[in-house]
Amino acid sequence: MSVVSTDAQAVHAAGVARLLDSYRAIEPTATVRLAKPTSNLFRARPRNTGKGLDTSGLTNVIAVDPHASTADVAGMCTYEDLVAATLPYGLAPLVVPQLKTITLGGAVTGLGIESTSFRNGLPHESVIEMDILTGAGEIVTASRTSHSELFHSFPNSYGTLGYSTRLRIELEPVTPFVELRHLRFHRLADLVATMDRIIETGGLDGVKIDYLDGVVFSAEESYLCVGIKTTTPGPVSDYTGQQIYYRSIQHADGQKHDRLTIHDYLWRWDTDWFWCSRAFGAQNPRIRRFWPRRYRRSSFYWKLIGYDQRFNIADRIEIRNGRPPRERVVQDIEVPLERCAEFLTWFLQNIPIEPIWLCPLRLRDDTSWPLYPIRPHHTYVNVGFWSSVPVGPEPGHTNKLIERKVSELEGHKSLYSDAFYSPEEFDHLYGGETYKTVKKAYDPDSRLLDLYSKAVQRR
């Protein structure tokens, strides 16, 4: 195994020791939480003033084994650092979520997705084993065969069953370049049919497809973005400067070709946080010219969102201009592929948000993941929409409409943002008795919040 730095193992061991010391320093009656100043969650988080878990030594790649195509990674390591460590070996995680500051542990205890998910599933499916600090203050090594109930319930538990300190994950070969083809559709049904054909056959027009996602601008303008691994050198595009990736997708008809380095492909969405940088004026050419390149990244936009949430800046501006406050609608949902066009049509007719991101996914095998029970051997489509709408007649009006529609179409919603389910519906959708059994076994004194409290009640 190739160790990333000569003292990586010692650094990790010291980090775990500090984590355990910080756990023991928290009052036995206090809720255990991470001492973490930043987050990729969009749920409102109460400001905590008490002690939290010290994760400062758990941010590194511990080792990469290029022969076994695996990596040992600390739980708080960002995908930006993880990819930087694996690409020199011509390897990458099986799924690399779109934003650089998402951590591996966060993507596993939450849910991550990207354009390889149609063939590689979700990030937790490539985990071989993981060390988890449980609510009982013990570190256990969980895998499919050891502490398997914790291993299988950990995804979508959002830190309520424990925190991963080390994960061993599978890697896959990548090539230096990705050839892109952006296919335009005038009907959503045609886009979904083509997506289905690519997933079932693994290719398009006789060419193997390695990456697949899409963007919907309207019912009459939508795109599939297919990526093909290639070693052929040649000119590549750069969307970290004045050019904006999602705008490059659009064209009049047929298909448009493009090329990126594998590094820039993996982070193509990060520079403009998909398209959300427009809310800050960063897509205005006059402003973009002077916007420092180091601030064209999702982590900086997230800081601006944090200021807005703390001081209600956007709502104050709306009120000053005689407009009602706005409801945040920042969600990722999954619906079965055969219901995708139906959901998109309903959404475009009822929710004034565009563009919309599409990412198909399929679980890799028959493994059951009880806290996010989507069917194996069945294709789902992740639909991502991130904006705001005028407030409705009740708090969370639009989010509740979306939740009801997703449930009607036998889908699921990620829990990184606002949720409004009743306890009964939440139990039905997110693990119910299985979760409670595992929670009692690994957090017997309820040192960690339970999932419903964390995902729904903490607003």
Side-chain angles (χ1 to χ4, degrees):
M1 182 172 284
S2 174
V3 178
V4 173
S5 62
T6 55
D7 60 348
Q9 297 283 358
V11 168
H12 181 69
V16 172
R18 285 200 301 276
L19 178 76
L20 289 170
D21 286 344
S22 66
Y23 175 92
R24 295 169 187 138
I26 298 173
E27 292 293 327
T29 57
T31 299
V32 174
R33 62 175 183 83
L34 293 180
K36 188 180 176 209
T38 61
S39 173
N40 281 292
L41 299 180
F42 273 83
R43 287 188 252 107
R45 300 189 305 160
R47 294 179 64 81
N48 292 301
T49 56
K51 294 179 180 178
L53 296 175
D54 181 355
T55 62
S56 59
L58 301 175
T59 61
N60 300 325
V61 177
I62 304 166
V64 176
D65 186 340
H67 302 293
S69 295
T70 61
D72 277 46
V73 187
M76 297 292 290
C77 179
T78 66
Y79 273 93
E80 181 175 26
D81 291 339
L82 175 53
V83 165
T86 63
L87 282 187
Y89 298 103
L91 298 168
L94 270 61
V95 180
V96 179
Q98 316 86 346
L99 306 181
K100 293 178 178 179
T101 55
I102 293 175
T103 64
L104 177 60
V108 171
T109 194
L111 292 175
I113 193 169
E114 235 295 326
S115 60
T116 56
S117 290
F118 78 102
R119 56 184 178 83
N120 288 339
L122 300 171
H124 58 265
E125 295 187 84
S126 62
V127 175
I128 299 168
E129 66 177 26
M130 53 184 159
D131 296 339
I132 299 172
L133 173 65
T134 68
E138 302 170 341
I139 292 184
V140 302
T141 300
S143 67
R144 292 172 187 258
T145 57
S146 176
H147 296 281
S148 60
E149 69 280 15
L150 176 61
F151 181 84
H152 291 108
S153 297
F154 197 72
N156 211 45
S157 64
Y158 284 91
T160 65
L161 295 178
Y163 299 102
S164 57
T165 63
R166 178 192 63 91
L167 304 97
R168 179 169 296 167
I169 62 169
E170 300 174 58
L171 305 172
E172 71 172 7
V174 292
T175 56
F177 306 101
V178 176
E179 176 189 333
L180 289 170
R181 299 178 186 175
H182 304 308
L183 315 177
R184 174 163 180 169
F185 297 88
H186 299 276
R187 296 176 63 248
L188 294 170
D190 294 338
L191 176 144
V192 172
T194 302
M195 182 189 296
D196 188 26
R197 187 164 68 251
I198 292 171
I199 295 165
E200 290 299 322
T201 65
L204 180 67
D205 299 330
V207 177
K208 182 177 180 292
I209 300 302
D210 300 297
Y211 307 98
L212 177 63
D213 64 349
V215 179
V216 176
F217 290 90
S218 70
E220 294 76 34
E221 184 189 4
S222 58
Y223 300 86
L224 285 181
C225 305
V226 300
I228 301 159
K229 295 178 181 179
T230 179
T231 59
T232 305
V236 292
S237 297
D238 179 3
Y239 297 107
T240 63
Q242 297 305 303
Q243 303 304 311
I244 298 169
Y245 175 70
Y246 84 99
R247 289 300 182 192
S248 77
I249 294 169
Q250 293 181 276
H251 58 274
D253 214 343
Q255 63 178 286
K256 181 179 180 181
H257 293 257
D258 201 353
R259 279 168 50 89
L260 292 171
T261 65
I262 180 60
H263 176 275
D264 285 358
Y265 177 78
L266 293 175
W267 303 127
R268 68 201 183 282
W269 292 120
D270 189 85
T271 301
D272 284 286
W273 209 0
F274 285 85
W275 32 80
C276 297
S277 67
R278 65 185 179 182
F280 311 109
Q283 295 180 26
N284 182 320
R286 290 174 294 179
I287 296 175
R288 194 177 186 87
R289 189 175 300 113
F290 299 102
W291 194 290
R293 186 180 289 258
R294 66 183 182 278
Y295 293 150
R296 289 191 211 123
R297 52 181 288 145
S298 61
S299 57
F300 181 71
Y301 305 133
W302 172 250
K303 289 180 181 179
L304 297 181
I305 289 287
Y307 289 129
D308 176 55
Q309 290 179 344
R310 186 174 178 182
F311 299 110
N312 297 317
I313 297 170
D315 279 352
R316 290 181 180 182
I317 293 173
E318 293 298 304
I319 292 170
R320 183 175 297 174
N321 290 322
R323 297 187 294 262
R326 298 183 70 82
E327 175 187 351
R328 183 178 62 193
V329 182
V330 178
Q331 305 287 354
D332 279 73
I333 63 94
E334 271 91 36
V335 291
L337 180 138
E338 65 272 17
R339 312 300 294 271
C340 180
E342 181 180 353
F343 176 80
L344 292 173
T345 299
W346 173 86
F347 188 94
L348 291 169
Q349 291 173 349
N350 291 277
I351 313 296
I353 293 176
E354 56 76 26
I356 307 165
W357 186 57
L358 305 179
C359 188
L361 71 137
R362 203 168 199 176
L363 297 181
R364 293 175 67 191
D365 54 36
D366 293 324
T367 302
S368 173
W369 307 99
L371 270 64
Y372 208 73
I374 60 178
R375 288 179 281 165
H377 310 295
H378 199 91
T379 301
Y380 289 76
V381 180
N382 175 281
V383 185
F385 36 93
W386 316 292
S387 189
S388 63
V389 299
V391 294
E394 61 174 334
H397 172 74
T398 297
N399 282 281
K400 291 175 183 178
L401 285 179
I402 293 168
E403 285 182 353
R404 288 196 290 270
K405 191 64 178 181
V406 170
S407 294
E408 176 190 324
L409 299 180
E410 300 179 65
H412 275 75
K413 185 177 88 166
S414 298
L415 295 175
Y416 70 85
S417 190
D418 298 318
F420 297 86
Y421 298 108
S422 68
E424 296 75 21
E425 187 174 11
F426 190 87
D427 278 356
H428 173 71
L429 292 171
Y430 300 103
E433 291 305 315
T434 299
Y435 171 74
K436 292 174 184 176
T437 299
V438 177
K439 176 77 167 170
K440 185 175 182 180
Y442 289 94
D443 185 21
D445 298 321
S446 299
R447 297 298 307 278
L448 307 169
L449 284 173
D450 72 85
L451 188 56
Y452 185 77
S453 296
K454 192 167 190 176
V456 180
Q457 292 181 327
R458 294 188 102 194
R459 289 199 300 275

